[in-house]
Amino acid sequence: MIVAVYICLGFMLAFGVIAIMSDGLITAAITLAVTSAASGVLMYLLGAKWAAAFEISVCSGLVTVIFISAVSLSSGDKTKLPAEYQDSRRTKRLPAVLIVAGAALMCAAALTGFSLPAGDAAQTGLTFGETLWETRQADVWGQMIALITGTAAIVVFFKESENR
Amino acid sequence: MSMPTVVLIAGLVMILAGCVGLIRTHHMLKIIIGLEVAMKAVTVFIILGGFLNGRMALAQAFVVTVIVVEVVTAVVLSGIAISLYRKHGSMDIRNLRSLKG
């Protein structure tokens, strides 16, 4: 299991960096979907099965569709974007920065003796359904309010665009 | 070094990558992608917390809320990006400086 966790972590990090460094918007959206899928598998391996299902279906599926829709709604010439924004040039030092930062954090943890417990604590308390519907009802209401607010915001944006 | 410590360090590195993405690009959709990358690490941190203290159900309930907020943020920011494109013909965030009011 630990090897699988490290592989998922590596995929998540690598594809996240590619999403940030890539010049193309579609490439960035697809690599972000792979990042989400890898984080979903990582959650599943850590024992969070419901969260993994949400992550893979919503973040890896729906968010990618939103990005690709946004790209297709902007009807300009996409071949000029790399020259216009130069994202790969502006972020070319990112892998080196991340390797140095990761090595520094590992060294700091080793020098100070910092280490989280190995985990696998016995799972206690209520099930996911009982927790969500009985003890975290305020969260469910908050989610509904957030969804309604998002919908209203989109309606206002597109109404303004049509009026203009 | 234990597995949760490695996950913690990798998550911190990923948040750094997301922040660099936020700072170094001017394209609105790429900024949202940087934000999403950082959010992935945050959701993994919440699950890691549940894994360590044995309250995975609570951690999953929080993650579902975070995912909903993440999607709403992505939708609203994409809407702003499209409005920006229709007004200025580009999704360059520097165009937001021309807003008044």
Side-chain angles (χ1 to χ4, degrees), chain A residues 20 22 36 46 50-51 55 58 66 76 85 87 90 116-117 123-124 143 157, chain B residues 2 4-5 17 24-27 30 40 51 54 56 60 65 71 75 80 85 92:
Chain A
I20 289 166
S22 67
S36 294
L46 292 175
W50 285 101
E55 179 74 27
V58 177
I66 290 166
Y85 291 98
D87 282 340
R90 290 171 65 85
L116 290 172
Q123 296 300 313
T124 55
Q143 288 170 26
F157 286 142
Chain B
S2 66
T5 313
R24 295 294 291 172
T25 184
H26 298 300
H27 195 285
K30 293 299 293 293
K40 298 286 161 251
F51 177 74
M56 189 58 87
Q60 291 188 83
T65 307
V71 171
V75 169
I80 293 173
Y85 179 81
D92 195 324

PDB file of all heavy atoms in Angstrom, chain A residues 20 22 36 46 50-51 55 58 66 76 85 87 90 116-117 123-124 143 157, chain B residues 2 4-5 17 24-27 30 40 51 54 56 60 65 71 75 80 85 92:
ATOM      1  N   ILE A  20       0.563  23.482 -14.458  1.00  0.00           N
ATOM      2  CA  ILE A  20       0.933  24.887 -14.248  1.00  0.00           C
ATOM      3  C   ILE A  20       1.890  25.369 -15.344  1.00  0.00           C
ATOM      4  O   ILE A  20       1.793  26.493 -15.814  1.00  0.00           O
ATOM      5  CB  ILE A  20       1.555  25.056 -12.846  1.00  0.00           C
ATOM      6  CG1 ILE A  20       0.450  24.908 -11.798  1.00  0.00           C
ATOM      7  CG2 ILE A  20       2.236  26.412 -12.691  1.00  0.00           C
ATOM      8  CD1 ILE A  20       0.954  24.723 -10.412  1.00  0.00           C
ATOM      9  N   SER A  22       2.338  24.144 -18.507  1.00  0.00           N
ATOM     10  CA  SER A  22       2.003  23.977 -19.924  1.00  0.00           C
ATOM     11  C   SER A  22       1.461  25.278 -20.521  1.00  0.00           C
ATOM     12  O   SER A  22       0.815  26.073 -19.842  1.00  0.00           O
ATOM     13  CB  SER A  22       0.987  22.858 -20.091  1.00  0.00           C
ATOM     14  OG  SER A  22      -0.211  23.238 -19.510  1.00  0.00           O
ATOM     15  N   SER A  36      -6.308  15.330 -10.316  1.00  0.00           N
ATOM     16  CA  SER A  36      -7.474  15.043  -9.478  1.00  0.00           C
ATOM     17  C   SER A  36      -7.689  13.542  -9.342  1.00  0.00           C
ATOM     18  O   SER A  36      -7.994  13.044  -8.250  1.00  0.00           O
ATOM     19  CB  SER A  36      -8.731  15.658 -10.068  1.00  0.00           C
ATOM     20  OG  SER A  36      -8.650  17.032 -10.051  1.00  0.00           O
ATOM     21  N   LEU A  46      -5.976   5.794   1.358  1.00  0.00           N
ATOM     22  CA  LEU A  46      -5.928   6.192   2.776  1.00  0.00           C
ATOM     23  C   LEU A  46      -7.224   5.826   3.505  1.00  0.00           C
ATOM     24  O   LEU A  46      -7.339   6.064   4.699  1.00  0.00           O
ATOM     25  CB  LEU A  46      -5.652   7.697   2.898  1.00  0.00           C
ATOM     26  CG  LEU A  46      -4.256   8.157   2.459  1.00  0.00           C
ATOM     27  CD1 LEU A  46      -4.149   9.677   2.516  1.00  0.00           C
ATOM     28  CD2 LEU A  46      -3.171   7.548   3.331  1.00  0.00           C
ATOM     29  N   TRP A  50     -15.636   7.558   0.085  1.00  0.00           N
ATOM     30  CA  TRP A  50     -16.647   8.510  -0.411  1.00  0.00           C
ATOM     31  C   TRP A  50     -15.989   9.767  -0.956  1.00  0.00           C
ATOM     32  O   TRP A  50     -16.389  10.277  -2.003  1.00  0.00           O
ATOM     33  CB  TRP A  50     -17.623   8.865   0.710  1.00  0.00           C
ATOM     34  CG  TRP A  50     -18.593   7.774   0.990  1.00  0.00           C
ATOM     35  CD1 TRP A  50     -18.538   6.868   2.017  1.00  0.00           C
ATOM     36  CD2 TRP A  50     -19.743   7.422   0.214  1.00  0.00           C
ATOM     37  NE1 TRP A  50     -19.583   5.995   1.932  1.00  0.00           N
ATOM     38  CE2 TRP A  50     -20.340   6.294   0.842  1.00  0.00           C
ATOM     39  CE3 TRP A  50     -20.319   7.945  -0.937  1.00  0.00           C
ATOM     40  CZ2 TRP A  50     -21.485   5.706   0.340  1.00  0.00           C
ATOM     41  CZ3 TRP A  50     -21.462   7.358  -1.433  1.00  0.00           C
ATOM     42  CH2 TRP A  50     -22.037   6.251  -0.793  1.00  0.00           C
ATOM     43  N   ALA A  51     -15.005  10.255  -0.236  1.00  0.00           N
ATOM     44  CA  ALA A  51     -14.303  11.462  -0.710  1.00  0.00           C
ATOM     45  C   ALA A  51     -13.599  11.178  -2.032  1.00  0.00           C
ATOM     46  O   ALA A  51     -13.569  12.037  -2.925  1.00  0.00           O
ATOM     47  CB  ALA A  51     -13.296  11.925   0.342  1.00  0.00           C
ATOM     48  N   GLU A  55     -14.138  13.171  -5.442  1.00  0.00           N
ATOM     49  CA  GLU A  55     -12.982  13.807  -6.076  1.00  0.00           C
ATOM     50  C   GLU A  55     -12.872  13.394  -7.546  1.00  0.00           C
ATOM     51  O   GLU A  55     -12.669  14.234  -8.425  1.00  0.00           O
ATOM     52  CB  GLU A  55     -11.708  13.404  -5.308  1.00  0.00           C
ATOM     53  CG  GLU A  55     -10.410  13.966  -5.843  1.00  0.00           C
ATOM     54  CD  GLU A  55     -10.206  15.431  -5.542  1.00  0.00           C
ATOM     55  OE1 GLU A  55     -10.759  15.920  -4.544  1.00  0.00           O
ATOM     56  OE2 GLU A  55      -9.488  16.089  -6.315  1.00  0.00           O
ATOM     57  N   VAL A  58     -16.382  14.598  -9.472  1.00  0.00           N
ATOM     58  CA  VAL A  58     -16.628  16.049  -9.554  1.00  0.00           C
ATOM     59  C   VAL A  58     -15.383  16.790 -10.030  1.00  0.00           C
ATOM     60  O   VAL A  58     -15.419  17.496 -11.039  1.00  0.00           O
ATOM     61  CB  VAL A  58     -17.105  16.596  -8.188  1.00  0.00           C
ATOM     62  CG1 VAL A  58     -17.295  18.091  -8.258  1.00  0.00           C
ATOM     63  CG2 VAL A  58     -18.411  15.938  -7.787  1.00  0.00           C
ATOM     64  N   ILE A  66     -15.926  22.097 -17.177  1.00  0.00           N
ATOM     65  CA  ILE A  66     -16.076  23.556 -17.022  1.00  0.00           C
ATOM     66  C   ILE A  66     -14.920  24.285 -17.713  1.00  0.00           C
ATOM     67  O   ILE A  66     -15.125  25.251 -18.450  1.00  0.00           O
ATOM     68  CB  ILE A  66     -16.128  23.927 -15.520  1.00  0.00           C
ATOM     69  CG1 ILE A  66     -17.429  23.441 -14.901  1.00  0.00           C
ATOM     70  CG2 ILE A  66     -16.000  25.437 -15.327  1.00  0.00           C
ATOM     71  CD1 ILE A  66     -17.419  23.462 -13.393  1.00  0.00           C
ATOM     72  N   GLY A  76     -11.147  32.934 -29.552  1.00  0.00           N
ATOM     73  CA  GLY A  76      -9.961  33.502 -30.214  1.00  0.00           C
ATOM     74  C   GLY A  76      -8.990  32.447 -30.708  1.00  0.00           C
ATOM     75  O   GLY A  76      -9.185  31.253 -30.519  1.00  0.00           O
ATOM     76  N   TYR A  85       1.444  34.753 -23.574  1.00  0.00           N
ATOM     77  CA  TYR A  85       1.580  34.638 -22.108  1.00  0.00           C
ATOM     78  C   TYR A  85       2.918  34.055 -21.666  1.00  0.00           C
ATOM     79  O   TYR A  85       3.371  34.316 -20.560  1.00  0.00           O
ATOM     80  CB  TYR A  85       0.436  33.783 -21.555  1.00  0.00           C
ATOM     81  CG  TYR A  85      -0.894  34.472 -21.663  1.00  0.00           C
ATOM     82  CD1 TYR A  85      -1.751  34.197 -22.707  1.00  0.00           C
ATOM     83  CD2 TYR A  85      -1.272  35.428 -20.724  1.00  0.00           C
ATOM     84  CE1 TYR A  85      -2.961  34.844 -22.820  1.00  0.00           C
ATOM     85  CE2 TYR A  85      -2.484  36.079 -20.834  1.00  0.00           C
ATOM     86  CZ  TYR A  85      -3.337  35.781 -21.889  1.00  0.00           C
ATOM     87  OH  TYR A  85      -4.519  36.424 -21.994  1.00  0.00           O
ATOM     88  N   ASP A  87       3.895  31.149 -20.559  1.00  0.00           N
ATOM     89  CA  ASP A  87       3.835  30.502 -19.242  1.00  0.00           C
ATOM     90  C   ASP A  87       4.986  29.524 -19.020  1.00  0.00           C
ATOM     91  O   ASP A  87       5.532  29.449 -17.920  1.00  0.00           O
ATOM     92  CB  ASP A  87       2.497  29.763 -19.081  1.00  0.00           C
ATOM     93  CG  ASP A  87       1.373  30.715 -18.761  1.00  0.00           C
ATOM     94  OD1 ASP A  87       1.671  31.826 -18.292  1.00  0.00           O
ATOM     95  OD2 ASP A  87       0.209  30.370 -18.987  1.00  0.00           O
ATOM     96  N   ARG A  90       8.005  31.574 -18.196  1.00  0.00           N
ATOM     97  CA  ARG A  90       7.902  32.241 -16.894  1.00  0.00           C
ATOM     98  C   ARG A  90       7.973  31.261 -15.727  1.00  0.00           C
ATOM     99  O   ARG A  90       8.246  31.653 -14.602  1.00  0.00           O
ATOM    100  CB  ARG A  90       6.584  33.035 -16.832  1.00  0.00           C
ATOM    101  CG  ARG A  90       6.569  34.255 -17.736  1.00  0.00           C
ATOM    102  CD  ARG A  90       5.176  34.858 -17.804  1.00  0.00           C
ATOM    103  NE  ARG A  90       4.738  35.371 -16.531  1.00  0.00           N
ATOM    104  CZ  ARG A  90       5.019  36.579 -16.063  1.00  0.00           C
ATOM    105  NH1 ARG A  90       5.732  37.400 -16.778  1.00  0.00           N
ATOM    106  NH2 ARG A  90       4.572  36.967 -14.890  1.00  0.00           N
ATOM    107  N   LEU A 116       5.447  12.467  11.539  1.00  0.00           N
ATOM    108  CA  LEU A 116       4.065  12.178  11.927  1.00  0.00           C
ATOM    109  C   LEU A 116       3.943  10.700  12.283  1.00  0.00           C
ATOM    110  O   LEU A 116       4.727   9.882  11.793  1.00  0.00           O
ATOM    111  CB  LEU A 116       3.124  12.507  10.756  1.00  0.00           C
ATOM    112  CG  LEU A 116       2.955  13.984  10.423  1.00  0.00           C
ATOM    113  CD1 LEU A 116       2.168  14.146   9.137  1.00  0.00           C
ATOM    114  CD2 LEU A 116       2.260  14.719  11.549  1.00  0.00           C
ATOM    115  N   PRO A 117       2.987  10.325  13.113  1.00  0.00           N
ATOM    116  CA  PRO A 117       2.809   8.905  13.413  1.00  0.00           C
ATOM    117  C   PRO A 117       2.465   8.108  12.147  1.00  0.00           C
ATOM    118  O   PRO A 117       1.968   8.679  11.176  1.00  0.00           O
ATOM    119  CB  PRO A 117       1.646   8.875  14.404  1.00  0.00           C
ATOM    120  CG  PRO A 117       1.042  10.219  14.369  1.00  0.00           C
ATOM    121  CD  PRO A 117       2.048  11.165  13.856  1.00  0.00           C
ATOM    122  N   GLN A 123     -10.506   3.325  13.226  1.00  0.00           N
ATOM    123  CA  GLN A 123     -11.555   4.290  12.881  1.00  0.00           C
ATOM    124  C   GLN A 123     -12.666   4.235  13.925  1.00  0.00           C
ATOM    125  O   GLN A 123     -13.175   3.164  14.247  1.00  0.00           O
ATOM    126  CB  GLN A 123     -12.118   3.988  11.495  1.00  0.00           C
ATOM    127  CG  GLN A 123     -11.098   4.153  10.379  1.00  0.00           C
ATOM    128  CD  GLN A 123     -10.543   5.566  10.284  1.00  0.00           C
ATOM    129  OE1 GLN A 123     -11.281   6.539  10.312  1.00  0.00           O
ATOM    130  NE2 GLN A 123      -9.226   5.684  10.214  1.00  0.00           N
ATOM    131  N   THR A 124     -12.979   5.396  14.471  1.00  0.00           N
ATOM    132  CA  THR A 124     -13.980   5.452  15.533  1.00  0.00           C
ATOM    133  C   THR A 124     -15.155   6.313  15.100  1.00  0.00           C
ATOM    134  O   THR A 124     -15.083   7.026  14.121  1.00  0.00           O
ATOM    135  CB  THR A 124     -13.374   6.066  16.807  1.00  0.00           C
ATOM    136  OG1 THR A 124     -12.841   7.339  16.445  1.00  0.00           O
ATOM    137  CG2 THR A 124     -12.291   5.190  17.385  1.00  0.00           C
ATOM    138  N   GLN A 143     -23.290  24.190   1.731  1.00  0.00           N
ATOM    139  CA  GLN A 143     -23.042  23.733   0.355  1.00  0.00           C
ATOM    140  C   GLN A 143     -24.165  24.173  -0.564  1.00  0.00           C
ATOM    141  O   GLN A 143     -23.923  24.635  -1.685  1.00  0.00           O
ATOM    142  CB  GLN A 143     -22.936  22.207   0.330  1.00  0.00           C
ATOM    143  CG  GLN A 143     -21.669  21.666   0.950  1.00  0.00           C
ATOM    144  CD  GLN A 143     -21.733  20.163   1.105  1.00  0.00           C
ATOM    145  OE1 GLN A 143     -22.436  19.487   0.380  1.00  0.00           O
ATOM    146  NE2 GLN A 143     -20.997  19.640   2.068  1.00  0.00           N
ATOM    147  N   PHE A 157     -23.595  37.104 -14.777  1.00  0.00           N
ATOM    148  CA  PHE A 157     -22.507  37.363 -15.728  1.00  0.00           C
ATOM    149  C   PHE A 157     -22.997  37.256 -17.164  1.00  0.00           C
ATOM    150  O   PHE A 157     -22.738  38.117 -17.990  1.00  0.00           O
ATOM    151  CB  PHE A 157     -21.361  36.360 -15.540  1.00  0.00           C
ATOM    152  CG  PHE A 157     -20.537  36.620 -14.316  1.00  0.00           C
ATOM    153  CD1 PHE A 157     -20.060  35.567 -13.549  1.00  0.00           C
ATOM    154  CD2 PHE A 157     -20.228  37.916 -13.935  1.00  0.00           C
ATOM    155  CE1 PHE A 157     -19.302  35.799 -12.428  1.00  0.00           C
ATOM    156  CE2 PHE A 157     -19.474  38.152 -12.807  1.00  0.00           C
ATOM    157  CZ  PHE A 157     -19.021  37.096 -12.052  1.00  0.00           C
TER     158      PHE A 157
ATOM    159  N   SER B   2       8.217   8.523   8.123  1.00  0.00           N
ATOM    160  CA  SER B   2       6.945   7.797   7.955  1.00  0.00           C
ATOM    161  C   SER B   2       6.191   8.279   6.710  1.00  0.00           C
ATOM    162  O   SER B   2       6.425   9.383   6.215  1.00  0.00           O
ATOM    163  CB  SER B   2       6.083   7.985   9.201  1.00  0.00           C
ATOM    164  OG  SER B   2       5.711   9.332   9.314  1.00  0.00           O
ATOM    165  N   PRO B   4       2.993   9.278   6.322  1.00  0.00           N
ATOM    166  CA  PRO B   4       2.263  10.555   6.449  1.00  0.00           C
ATOM    167  C   PRO B   4       3.173  11.785   6.376  1.00  0.00           C
ATOM    168  O   PRO B   4       2.765  12.824   5.848  1.00  0.00           O
ATOM    169  CB  PRO B   4       1.606  10.440   7.825  1.00  0.00           C
ATOM    170  CG  PRO B   4       1.444   8.984   8.038  1.00  0.00           C
ATOM    171  CD  PRO B   4       2.656   8.361   7.433  1.00  0.00           C
ATOM    172  N   THR B   5       4.420  11.664   6.881  1.00  0.00           N
ATOM    173  CA  THR B   5       5.346  12.804   6.803  1.00  0.00           C
ATOM    174  C   THR B   5       5.688  13.106   5.344  1.00  0.00           C
ATOM    175  O   THR B   5       5.739  14.276   4.938  1.00  0.00           O
ATOM    176  CB  THR B   5       6.635  12.497   7.597  1.00  0.00           C
ATOM    177  OG1 THR B   5       6.286  11.978   8.859  1.00  0.00           O
ATOM    178  CG2 THR B   5       7.478  13.736   7.777  1.00  0.00           C
ATOM    179  N   ALA B  17       3.770  24.940  -5.507  1.00  0.00           N
ATOM    180  CA  ALA B  17       3.614  24.931  -6.975  1.00  0.00           C
ATOM    181  C   ALA B  17       2.365  25.710  -7.386  1.00  0.00           C
ATOM    182  O   ALA B  17       2.401  26.508  -8.336  1.00  0.00           O
ATOM    183  CB  ALA B  17       3.529  23.494  -7.480  1.00  0.00           C
ATOM    184  N   ARG B  24       2.818  33.616 -11.278  1.00  0.00           N
ATOM    185  CA  ARG B  24       3.630  33.781 -12.478  1.00  0.00           C
ATOM    186  C   ARG B  24       2.847  33.834 -13.788  1.00  0.00           C
ATOM    187  O   ARG B  24       3.440  33.997 -14.839  1.00  0.00           O
ATOM    188  CB  ARG B  24       4.671  32.669 -12.560  1.00  0.00           C
ATOM    189  CG  ARG B  24       5.705  32.693 -11.468  1.00  0.00           C
ATOM    190  CD  ARG B  24       6.591  33.902 -11.549  1.00  0.00           C
ATOM    191  NE  ARG B  24       7.469  33.854 -12.708  1.00  0.00           N
ATOM    192  CZ  ARG B  24       8.237  34.845 -13.095  1.00  0.00           C
ATOM    193  NH1 ARG B  24       8.228  35.991 -12.438  1.00  0.00           N
ATOM    194  NH2 ARG B  24       9.001  34.721 -14.143  1.00  0.00           N
ATOM    195  N   THR B  25       1.556  33.631 -13.766  1.00  0.00           N
ATOM    196  CA  THR B  25       0.822  33.695 -15.037  1.00  0.00           C
ATOM    197  C   THR B  25      -0.191  34.847 -15.019  1.00  0.00           C
ATOM    198  O   THR B  25      -0.607  35.281 -13.944  1.00  0.00           O
ATOM    199  CB  THR B  25       0.106  32.360 -15.344  1.00  0.00           C
ATOM    200  OG1 THR B  25      -0.507  32.456 -16.612  1.00  0.00           O
ATOM    201  CG2 THR B  25      -0.943  32.028 -14.322  1.00  0.00           C
ATOM    202  N   HIS B  26      -0.527  35.316 -16.219  1.00  0.00           N
ATOM    203  CA  HIS B  26      -1.513  36.394 -16.329  1.00  0.00           C
ATOM    204  C   HIS B  26      -2.823  35.898 -16.927  1.00  0.00           C
ATOM    205  O   HIS B  26      -3.770  36.664 -17.022  1.00  0.00           O
ATOM    206  CB  HIS B  26      -0.964  37.525 -17.205  1.00  0.00           C
ATOM    207  CG  HIS B  26       0.249  38.161 -16.645  1.00  0.00           C
ATOM    208  ND1 HIS B  26       0.271  38.782 -15.421  1.00  0.00           N
ATOM    209  CD2 HIS B  26       1.512  38.262 -17.124  1.00  0.00           C
ATOM    210  CE1 HIS B  26       1.475  39.249 -15.185  1.00  0.00           C
ATOM    211  NE2 HIS B  26       2.253  38.935 -16.187  1.00  0.00           N
ATOM    212  N   HIS B  27      -2.840  34.634 -17.343  1.00  0.00           N
ATOM    213  CA  HIS B  27      -4.063  34.112 -17.965  1.00  0.00           C
ATOM    214  C   HIS B  27      -5.032  33.654 -16.870  1.00  0.00           C
ATOM    215  O   HIS B  27      -4.664  32.900 -15.978  1.00  0.00           O
ATOM    216  CB  HIS B  27      -3.728  32.939 -18.891  1.00  0.00           C
ATOM    217  CG  HIS B  27      -4.834  32.589 -19.827  1.00  0.00           C
ATOM    218  ND1 HIS B  27      -5.956  31.922 -19.412  1.00  0.00           N
ATOM    219  CD2 HIS B  27      -5.013  32.840 -21.151  1.00  0.00           C
ATOM    220  CE1 HIS B  27      -6.768  31.766 -20.445  1.00  0.00           C
ATOM    221  NE2 HIS B  27      -6.220  32.317 -21.507  1.00  0.00           N
ATOM    222  N   LYS B  30      -5.470  29.897 -16.314  1.00  0.00           N
ATOM    223  CA  LYS B  30      -4.278  29.279 -15.727  1.00  0.00           C
ATOM    224  C   LYS B  30      -4.180  29.617 -14.231  1.00  0.00           C
ATOM    225  O   LYS B  30      -3.695  28.819 -13.438  1.00  0.00           O
ATOM    226  CB  LYS B  30      -3.004  29.742 -16.457  1.00  0.00           C
ATOM    227  CG  LYS B  30      -2.876  29.264 -17.885  1.00  0.00           C
ATOM    228  CD  LYS B  30      -2.828  27.767 -18.025  1.00  0.00           C
ATOM    229  CE  LYS B  30      -1.610  27.111 -17.454  1.00  0.00           C
ATOM    230  NZ  LYS B  30      -0.366  27.433 -18.150  1.00  0.00           N
ATOM    231  N   LYS B  40      -5.985  20.743  -4.248  1.00  0.00           N
ATOM    232  CA  LYS B  40      -5.825  19.274  -4.202  1.00  0.00           C
ATOM    233  C   LYS B  40      -5.008  18.878  -2.978  1.00  0.00           C
ATOM    234  O   LYS B  40      -5.324  17.916  -2.275  1.00  0.00           O
ATOM    235  CB  LYS B  40      -5.112  18.747  -5.448  1.00  0.00           C
ATOM    236  CG  LYS B  40      -5.796  18.969  -6.733  1.00  0.00           C
ATOM    237  CD  LYS B  40      -6.974  18.081  -6.923  1.00  0.00           C
ATOM    238  CE  LYS B  40      -7.878  18.654  -7.974  1.00  0.00           C
ATOM    239  NZ  LYS B  40      -9.110  19.195  -7.508  1.00  0.00           N
ATOM    240  N   PHE B  51      -7.011  10.175   8.612  1.00  0.00           N
ATOM    241  CA  PHE B  51      -6.262   8.905   8.635  1.00  0.00           C
ATOM    242  C   PHE B  51      -5.435   8.792   9.922  1.00  0.00           C
ATOM    243  O   PHE B  51      -5.341   7.715  10.519  1.00  0.00           O
ATOM    244  CB  PHE B  51      -5.348   8.875   7.401  1.00  0.00           C
ATOM    245  CG  PHE B  51      -4.447   7.678   7.305  1.00  0.00           C
ATOM    246  CD1 PHE B  51      -4.949   6.437   6.958  1.00  0.00           C
ATOM    247  CD2 PHE B  51      -3.088   7.805   7.532  1.00  0.00           C
ATOM    248  CE1 PHE B  51      -4.110   5.344   6.842  1.00  0.00           C
ATOM    249  CE2 PHE B  51      -2.240   6.717   7.423  1.00  0.00           C
ATOM    250  CZ  PHE B  51      -2.756   5.483   7.085  1.00  0.00           C
ATOM    251  N   GLY B  54      -8.035   8.801  13.208  1.00  0.00           N
ATOM    252  CA  GLY B  54      -9.074   7.775  13.249  1.00  0.00           C
ATOM    253  C   GLY B  54     -10.485   8.299  13.078  1.00  0.00           C
ATOM    254  O   GLY B  54     -11.438   7.594  13.397  1.00  0.00           O
ATOM    255  N   MET B  56     -12.108   9.340  10.096  1.00  0.00           N
ATOM    256  CA  MET B  56     -12.150   9.486   8.640  1.00  0.00           C
ATOM    257  C   MET B  56     -13.509   9.976   8.159  1.00  0.00           C
ATOM    258  O   MET B  56     -13.593  10.725   7.177  1.00  0.00           O
ATOM    259  CB  MET B  56     -11.798   8.153   7.993  1.00  0.00           C
ATOM    260  CG  MET B  56     -11.596   8.224   6.510  1.00  0.00           C
ATOM    261  SD  MET B  56     -10.318   9.376   6.042  1.00  0.00           S
ATOM    262  CE  MET B  56      -8.886   8.310   6.141  1.00  0.00           C
ATOM    263  N   GLN B  60     -14.012  13.090   5.716  1.00  0.00           N
ATOM    264  CA  GLN B  60     -14.681  12.979   4.412  1.00  0.00           C
ATOM    265  C   GLN B  60     -15.816  13.996   4.283  1.00  0.00           C
ATOM    266  O   GLN B  60     -16.025  14.561   3.212  1.00  0.00           O
ATOM    267  CB  GLN B  60     -15.219  11.565   4.218  1.00  0.00           C
ATOM    268  CG  GLN B  60     -14.128  10.538   4.034  1.00  0.00           C
ATOM    269  CD  GLN B  60     -14.714   9.201   3.644  1.00  0.00           C
ATOM    270  OE1 GLN B  60     -14.994   8.969   2.484  1.00  0.00           O
ATOM    271  NE2 GLN B  60     -14.887   8.321   4.622  1.00  0.00           N
ATOM    272  N   THR B  65     -17.460  19.154   1.494  1.00  0.00           N
ATOM    273  CA  THR B  65     -17.713  20.607   1.523  1.00  0.00           C
ATOM    274  C   THR B  65     -16.644  21.355   0.732  1.00  0.00           C
ATOM    275  O   THR B  65     -16.950  22.258  -0.062  1.00  0.00           O
ATOM    276  CB  THR B  65     -17.742  21.102   2.978  1.00  0.00           C
ATOM    277  OG1 THR B  65     -18.661  20.305   3.715  1.00  0.00           O
ATOM    278  CG2 THR B  65     -18.163  22.548   3.060  1.00  0.00           C
ATOM    279  N   VAL B  71     -15.620  23.648  -6.666  1.00  0.00           N
ATOM    280  CA  VAL B  71     -16.343  23.663  -7.945  1.00  0.00           C
ATOM    281  C   VAL B  71     -17.032  25.007  -8.144  1.00  0.00           C
ATOM    282  O   VAL B  71     -16.964  25.588  -9.234  1.00  0.00           O
ATOM    283  CB  VAL B  71     -17.360  22.505  -8.006  1.00  0.00           C
ATOM    284  CG1 VAL B  71     -18.263  22.640  -9.215  1.00  0.00           C
ATOM    285  CG2 VAL B  71     -16.645  21.179  -8.063  1.00  0.00           C
ATOM    286  N   VAL B  75     -16.356  27.584 -11.177  1.00  0.00           N
ATOM    287  CA  VAL B  75     -17.434  28.034 -12.078  1.00  0.00           C
ATOM    288  C   VAL B  75     -17.508  29.558 -12.102  1.00  0.00           C
ATOM    289  O   VAL B  75     -17.568  30.170 -13.181  1.00  0.00           O
ATOM    290  CB  VAL B  75     -18.781  27.417 -11.635  1.00  0.00           C
ATOM    291  CG1 VAL B  75     -19.936  28.068 -12.361  1.00  0.00           C
ATOM    292  CG2 VAL B  75     -18.800  25.925 -11.901  1.00  0.00           C
ATOM    293  N   ILE B  80     -16.233  34.791 -14.736  1.00  0.00           N
ATOM    294  CA  ILE B  80     -15.548  36.101 -14.784  1.00  0.00           C
ATOM    295  C   ILE B  80     -14.579  36.133 -15.968  1.00  0.00           C
ATOM    296  O   ILE B  80     -14.480  37.132 -16.683  1.00  0.00           O
ATOM    297  CB  ILE B  80     -14.806  36.361 -13.451  1.00  0.00           C
ATOM    298  CG1 ILE B  80     -15.817  36.545 -12.315  1.00  0.00           C
ATOM    299  CG2 ILE B  80     -13.930  37.606 -13.545  1.00  0.00           C
ATOM    300  CD1 ILE B  80     -15.187  36.633 -10.936  1.00  0.00           C
ATOM    301  N   TYR B  85     -13.193  38.067 -21.328  1.00  0.00           N
ATOM    302  CA  TYR B  85     -12.863  37.812 -22.739  1.00  0.00           C
ATOM    303  C   TYR B  85     -13.831  38.557 -23.654  1.00  0.00           C
ATOM    304  O   TYR B  85     -13.425  39.147 -24.660  1.00  0.00           O
ATOM    305  CB  TYR B  85     -12.910  36.310 -23.019  1.00  0.00           C
ATOM    306  CG  TYR B  85     -12.610  35.986 -24.446  1.00  0.00           C
ATOM    307  CD1 TYR B  85     -11.295  35.932 -24.886  1.00  0.00           C
ATOM    308  CD2 TYR B  85     -13.638  35.786 -25.358  1.00  0.00           C
ATOM    309  CE1 TYR B  85     -11.012  35.676 -26.210  1.00  0.00           C
ATOM    310  CE2 TYR B  85     -13.358  35.524 -26.681  1.00  0.00           C
ATOM    311  CZ  TYR B  85     -12.049  35.466 -27.105  1.00  0.00           C
ATOM    312  OH  TYR B  85     -11.772  35.216 -28.418  1.00  0.00           O
ATOM    313  N   ASP B  92      -6.530  38.049 -20.151  1.00  0.00           N
ATOM    314  CA  ASP B  92      -5.411  38.580 -19.371  1.00  0.00           C
ATOM    315  C   ASP B  92      -5.951  39.272 -18.120  1.00  0.00           C
ATOM    316  O   ASP B  92      -6.773  40.186 -18.225  1.00  0.00           O
ATOM    317  CB  ASP B  92      -4.624  39.576 -20.225  1.00  0.00           C
ATOM    318  CG  ASP B  92      -3.268  39.874 -19.637  1.00  0.00           C
ATOM    319  OD1 ASP B  92      -3.166  39.926 -18.396  1.00  0.00           O
ATOM    320  OD2 ASP B  92      -2.309  40.028 -20.405  1.00  0.00           O
TER     321      ASP B  92
END
